[in-house]
Amino acid sequence: MTGKNQLPKINGQKQVAKSRLFTIEQLELTFSNGEERQYERMLGSGNGAVMIVPMLDDDTILLVREYCAGTHSYELGFPKGLIDADEMSEQAANRELQEEIFYGAKQFYHLSQVMMAPAFFNAKMDIFIASDLYPAQLEGDEPEPLEVVSWPIKEYKTLLQQPDFKEARSIAALMLLVDHLSPNKLG
């Protein structure tokens, strides 16, 4: 069968590099029109990741400012982390909240699942809204305490203008939250 949206045939695959976090794999592909190509992709480790939009109350979200090695800068974004082998995504979300902002949540709403750079990376992230927060603290793996920043939801456009709020997944989570909270205002 040939045609549009037919997945290419994988003729071969091999590992070309590996680190503690990623494996780079080379694929030998044949497309439905006969074209052959080599692609490389990163395979993430683990069971995926979560990002959480914590709602302190109906009008306020919580963010964290943390060091990001990729840009060697401090960036403002939502709490996030990997899902451990023995966890469901909602459990990981609650653990990450307790490690990063020292709150747990009684309510979680699954907002969306996003993929990061699917052209060459297989990582998926579940985004949750967390509400009905309560004080709770777990020891995390951060090398230094994270700065917790509260932000009024109605000022989301100002947040989008902040020079340290540029991480695409956090921007996507914010816009998904805005859409979720005000669906009638968009239409």
Side-chain angles (χ1 to χ4, degrees), residues 49-66:
V50 293
M51 176 174 280
I52 312 96
V53 180
M55 302 208 38
L56 186 59
D57 55 44
D58 290 344
D59 302 313
T60 311
I61 56 177
L62 297 176
L63 301 111
V64 293
R65 186 172 284 113
E66 66 181 314

Side-chain angles (χ1 to χ4, degrees), residues 25-93:
E25 183 178 67
Q26 183 180 58
L27 299 176
E28 304 286 338
L29 302 172
T30 302
F31 287 81
S32 61
N33 63 357
E35 284 289 320
E36 294 185 355
R37 291 286 195 309
Q38 268 187 2
Y39 277 62
E40 288 183 355
R41 67 180 178 185
M42 289 191 301
L43 304 175
S45 60
N47 302 305
V50 293
M51 176 174 280
I52 312 96
V53 180
M55 302 208 38
L56 186 59
D57 55 44
D58 290 344
D59 302 313
T60 311
I61 56 177
L62 297 176
L63 301 111
V64 293
R65 186 172 284 113
E66 66 181 314
Y67 175 73
C68 297
T71 56
H72 189 59
S73 62
Y74 282 87
E75 298 294 326
L76 188 60
F78 293 110
K80 61 190 167 303
L82 296 175
I83 301 170
D84 290 342
D86 60 343
E87 290 179 314
M88 301 298 292
S89 58
E90 191 173 297
Q91 292 170 315

